Amino acid sequence: MRLINTTTLRLESPWSTPIYAILSHTWGEDEVLFADICDPQQLLPVHKKGFRKFSQSCERARQDGYNYMWIDTCCIDKTSSAELSEAINSMFRWYHRADRCYAYLSDINVPGEPSVEFENSRWFTRGWTLQELIAPRDVRFYDSQWCFLGSRQLLRGTPIADISELTDLADTISKVTGIPAEILRWFSPKPDSPLVRRRSKRAGLDKYEPTHALDKLLRACSVGQIMSWAAYRFTTRKEDEAYSLLGLFGVNMPMLYGEGRSAFHRLQQEILKTSNDQSILAFERQFYSDSSSLLADSPRCYASSEIIQSLNNGPLLSGATPFFELSPSPKAVEAGLLLCPLIRQGKEDTTRYLAILNCIYRSDFTSHPAIILRKIDSKSRTFYRTPKSGLHRITPINDQGLIEWSTAVDGVSNRLRYDLNKVYFETIRLYLEPPQILSSISYGVGQPASSSLSTPGMRIKLEMPDTMRFSSGAYPHMLQVTKNRVYAPSITLDSWPKRFLDNQKPMTNYLALFGTVLLHFEGMGAVALSWGKSCAPELEDRSPEPFIAIMDWAKVVRAAHGKELELFDLENLRLRTTAEFLYATYSWTWVSLLATKPDIRAEHDSPRIKVRCRIRTVEFLGRPLFELELSVLPQGRSSFVGMVRSSFS
């Protein structure tokens, strides 16, 4: 590793790597290159346009106490393909080990607080700057005049006197890039800190190595989520779309400039060697692509994969663990997937299948992404991915659904149906690049992704007379309504408002209220259905059981808000008003439930409507669900029965 002496501005190759700073920037015209400063007898290239950036970055580092600086334009001999390949494979590690990174935004000239110009900087659109943003422990931003704009995050141990001069930009950068703020705020102590000395001594090490805090955070992210961070970034060379992501996935591969999109395919193959994360298949093909490859053509295919989280080793069905593994033939991989045969024109298609991936959506822990596969022939166990079929979201709102293509495929209908009651687990062979044969790959098992506690969703199926109409609302809100079905998806704890979490604390080990759904039947009244799990204090050794409670909406409103309010149609309210109103009602609901004994059965009688229900635990795609049998009987008329399902993650 060559470094620039910040005093002499010459390249040096220290015997052992010293503490150094590093520069992150976008390449401009007439940069200072390796040949310009490699010879100590040669004059410095002061005539070059890029010399100002070169010299001022070294001056900035020297003023901050750094004797050495690394800059990608001149510290790598790009005439040597072997050195270039080694440098690209080591780039993430070099940025990771740097004590400080200076991010130079050449198109920004706004001293003081960052502005809209900062968010629109070209630096945030380049492929290579993604790893340069994440890898270093300390990133500081400067404009074109080397005026300080702020830091990626405030480091632990920052002197109080310096805090007023530093601006934490993590939230702003997160909004611009889509990278979670906790990734941007990862922490690794300095080499000379007491913490590092203690850990090194305990481990018997005499050399400083950065902690693995960032590695753990990146392993908790799905492959699809990390790919989404690069979806709207661009590189001069097509191959660099893949090469710039090597460090984020912890993989290495040789550089083959001129291979085009095959570089991104090779990157995905390398990822599969160390991971069984099926979110790598959770991408949308670009509209102009007719590829039948199992792999994506570029990071842009993952633009909508930010909300997908991998379950990795977690089973979808009892005893079925999805995986990837090399098949004996180098054409394909062995994969364990959930398959569901598709139905075309009322008949089961013997060649097309819905493959449900072992992933979930962060906005709903019960919904799964799925792709369309096609068999080589009806008797084969070998599949390939169907062109232009896209990515499909499977939710518990219905066991049966419709899959639609944007265009017809192979001249047949592009409208196929599925029935989740026919889902089964099978180990199949998947072509990577039919008919092209790829090099042999060995696939291992990856690290399990971290899981978050989530609320159960609520699925309600109402079979009502044609003359009967209803509207609905829920807290936490996120409601989907399809004809006579209502579905409130599960959501993660970290997406709940803080006040919602505060309400859960008094119910620990006894009662947890997960949500409230309002059903307003026009002209007949309204009821509030509250659900959750409970365990009586004297039965602490038992597993929590689901409960359901039914309350008259008018009484709930009167008790929660202290005044009379007429029944209303939630569909006519603004979302914020609905959420605030239901939250106040929700807050009162759990207090009233503590004074009762919630059960798996509940009933409600009013002059116009009679409601009875019973809740139990069932299974949806291998995950526990709450199933609620709901009977709604208008007084004086015959009853009818509906069914409700909700997920419990």
Side-chain angles (χ1 to χ4, degrees):
M1 181 183 186
R2 300 185 185 91
L3 293 170
I4 304 167
N5 187 305
T6 57
T7 301
T8 64
L9 303 185
R10 296 294 185 179
L11 285 174
E12 296 182 9
S13 299
W15 179 257
S16 61
T17 304
I19 296 175
Y20 63 93
I22 203 165
L23 179 69
S24 174
H25 65 114
T26 55
W27 279 47
E29 184 180 356
D30 205 16
E31 293 281 2
V32 175
L33 303 177
F34 172 78
D36 297 324
I37 60 173
C38 64
D39 186 356
Q41 305 302 320
Q42 186 179 359
L43 294 176
L44 291 172
V46 295
H47 62 284
K48 283 200 164 188
K49 293 182 179 180
F51 185 78
R52 176 178 171 272
K53 175 173 61 177
F54 167 79
S55 61
Q56 289 184 348
S57 61
C58 290
E59 176 64 18
R60 177 72 265 170
R62 188 178 63 80
Q63 291 178 3
D64 290 343
Y66 297 103
N67 296 325
Y68 292 96
M69 183 81 171
W70 190 90
I71 304 176
D72 59 348
T73 56
C74 52
C75 290
I76 305 173
D77 182 5
K78 297 179 178 62
T79 61
S80 170
S81 58
E83 181 174 334
L84 179 61
S85 180
E86 179 185 0
I88 290 177
N89 279 285
S90 305
M91 194 84 68
F92 186 88
R93 185 170 66 255
W94 290 348
Y95 275 90
H96 189 56
R97 290 180 175 178
D99 193 67
R100 179 172 296 174
C101 175
Y102 299 103
Y104 178 69
L105 278 54
S106 59
D107 55 346
I108 303 299
N109 186 13
V110 284
E113 290 292 326
S115 64
V116 175
E117 291 184 42
F118 173 80
E119 299 178 10
N120 294 330
S121 173
R122 178 172 174 263
W123 189 87
F124 289 110
T125 67
R126 307 305 296 172
W128 285 104
T129 57
L130 175 60
Q131 67 173 2
E132 296 166 11
L133 169 65
I134 295 175
R137 65 179 299 275
D138 182 11
V139 181
R140 303 198 177 188
F141 292 87
Y142 292 83
D143 69 3
S144 60
Q145 303 302 315
W146 284 94
C147 294
F148 181 63
L149 298 174
S151 297
R152 187 190 64 193
Q153 89 280 24
L154 292 179
L155 297 178
R156 301 176 191 174
T158 301
I160 296 177
D162 297 341
I163 290 180
S164 60
E165 301 177 4
L166 299 177
T167 303
D168 186 333
L169 300 175
D171 292 330
T172 301
I173 297 172
S174 178
K175 182 179 69 173
V176 174
T177 63
I179 304 171
E182 57 268 24
I183 299 290
L184 300 173
R185 290 193 174 103
W186 78 270
F187 171 72
S188 178
K190 288 190 174 183
D192 57 350
S193 71
L195 177 61
V196 169
R197 289 198 296 268
R198 287 197 303 270
R199 288 181 177 176
S200 299
K201 183 178 180 180
R202 189 182 306 124
L205 302 174
D206 57 1
K207 182 181 179 182
Y208 165 71
E209 290 290 341
T211 63
H212 299 289
L214 178 59
D215 295 336
K216 293 179 181 178
L217 287 171
L218 291 177
R219 283 199 300 268
C221 298
S222 69
V223 172
Q225 183 183 14
I226 295 177
M227 290 289 191
S228 72
W229 303 341
Y232 298 107
R233 292 175 177 264
F234 303 92
T235 58
T236 303
R237 302 288 297 269
K238 184 71 174 176
E239 296 83 356
D240 285 339
E241 287 183 344
Y243 301 159
S244 62
L245 297 174
L246 293 176
L248 287 171
F249 292 106
V251 299
N252 295 282
M253 65 185 198
M255 307 298 106
L256 299 174
Y257 282 103
E259 64 177 328
R261 75 174 189 179
S262 296
F264 194 66
H265 287 182
R266 284 200 299 125
L267 170 65
Q268 294 167 84
Q269 294 165 28
E270 292 296 325
I271 293 172
L272 288 173
K273 289 182 180 180
T274 58
S275 173
N276 65 347
D277 184 349
Q278 293 188 1
S279 71
I280 197 171
L281 304 181
F283 62 85
E284 294 275 8
R285 297 202 185 279
Q286 295 174 282
F287 70 93
Y288 54 81
S289 173
D290 58 355
S291 172
S292 58
S293 170
L294 182 69
L295 307 174
D297 294 334
S298 78
R300 276 175 282 285
C301 297
Y302 291 94
S304 60
S305 300
E306 179 185 358
I307 60 173
I308 293 177
Q309 178 174 327
S310 171
L311 294 176
N312 271 4
N313 295 328
L316 282 177
L317 290 176
S318 301
T321 302
F323 63 91
F324 286 112
E325 189 175 278
L326 176 67
S327 66
S329 167
K331 293 182 180 181
V333 294
E334 294 281 348
L337 294 170
L338 290 183
L339 298 179
C340 180
L342 291 174
I343 301 171
R344 179 163 58 93
Q345 298 178 351
K347 297 181 180 180
E348 186 174 304
D349 192 321
T350 58
T351 59
R352 288 183 176 85
Y353 290 78
L354 183 70
I356 302 172
L357 304 180
N358 196 31
C359 311
I360 51 178
Y361 288 87
R362 293 179 184 275
S363 58
D364 177 12
F365 269 34
T366 315
S367 298
H368 295 267
I371 59 176
I372 306 299
L373 301 179
R374 185 171 184 178
K375 280 187 177 182
I376 299 300
D377 58 67
S378 59
K379 298 181 180 180
S380 173
R381 198 174 57 87
T382 303
F383 293 74
Y384 66 90
R385 188 163 181 171
T386 306
K388 296 186 178 181
S389 58
L391 189 68
H392 305 277
R393 185 167 181 163
I394 306 302
T395 69
I397 194 170
N398 201 340
D399 287 336
Q400 299 178 349
L402 178 68
I403 297 293
E404 296 188 66
W405 270 263
S406 58
T407 59
V409 179
D410 298 339
V412 300
S413 171
N414 62 344
R415 294 171 60 89
L416 300 176
R417 296 190 174 275
Y418 63 87
D419 184 353
L420 295 181
N421 295 312
K422 298 182 179 180
V423 168
Y424 64 95
F425 180 83
E426 185 177 359
T427 300
I428 62 175
R429 298 178 69 245
L430 280 173
Y431 269 125
L432 291 175
E433 292 274 354
Q436 180 182 357
I437 299 180
L438 301 177
S439 59
S440 179
I441 313 167
S442 175
Y443 295 94
V445 178
Q447 297 292 331
S450 61
S451 59
S452 299
L453 179 63
S454 65
T455 66
M458 175 63 80
R459 182 171 81 172
I460 304 174
K461 178 183 177 182
L462 293 174
E463 298 178 359
M464 302 181 300
D466 294 338
T467 57
M468 199 171 184
R469 296 290 182 270
F470 78 97
S471 58
S472 59
Y475 189 88
H477 61 270
M478 282 182 69
L479 220 65
Q480 301 173 359
V481 180
T482 304
K483 294 183 179 179
N484 289 348
R485 297 178 184 270
V486 180
Y487 174 53
S490 61
I491 62 174
T492 59
L493 274 175
D494 53 15
S495 65
W496 291 355
K498 181 178 182 300
R499 57 189 181 180
F500 183 93
L501 293 176
D502 291 341
N503 281 346
Q504 300 294 317
K505 294 176 182 178
M507 296 177 285
T508 303
N509 298 328
Y510 173 55
L511 182 67
L513 177 60
F514 289 137
T516 296
V517 169
L518 165 67
L519 295 178
H520 175 207
F521 302 95
E522 293 183 2
M524 304 181 67
V527 294
L529 300 176
S530 296
W531 75 97
K533 64 178 182 179
S534 64
C535 185
E538 65 273 12
L539 301 176
E540 292 183 356
D541 57 328
R542 293 189 182 180
S543 300
E545 296 182 350
F547 74 81
I548 186 70
I550 305 178
M551 290 165 281
D552 182 83
W553 177 245
K555 293 180 180 179
V556 171
V557 169
R558 187 161 53 248
H561 301 274
K563 58 182 178 180
E564 294 284 349
L565 292 176
E566 295 182 0
L567 294 177
F568 58 89
D569 186 351
L570 284 177
E571 294 175 352
N572 295 330
L573 294 180
R574 294 178 180 270
L575 181 61
R576 180 176 179 181
T577 304
T578 302
E580 293 293 325
F581 190 78
L582 279 174
Y583 169 73
T585 304
Y586 177 91
S587 302
W588 176 86
T589 300
W590 75 260
V591 174
S592 65
L593 286 174
L594 285 175
T596 64
K597 292 184 178 181
D599 198 359
I600 61 172
R601 292 180 176 83
E603 62 180 59
H604 166 76
D605 285 320
S606 70
R608 296 185 178 181
I609 196 170
K610 186 174 184 178
V611 182
R612 293 179 180 176
C613 60
R614 184 172 72 90
I615 194 170
R616 63 192 179 107
T617 303
V618 294
E619 186 179 272
F620 176 79
L621 292 179
R623 297 172 68 83
L625 299 173
F626 287 165
E627 180 176 87
L628 182 65
E629 296 177 352
L630 181 67
S631 174
V632 182
L633 178 64
Q635 296 289 31
R637 302 181 183 181
S638 59
S639 63
F640 61 91
V641 177
M643 183 177 66
V644 180
R645 281 188 183 176
S646 70
S647 73
F648 175 59
S649 302

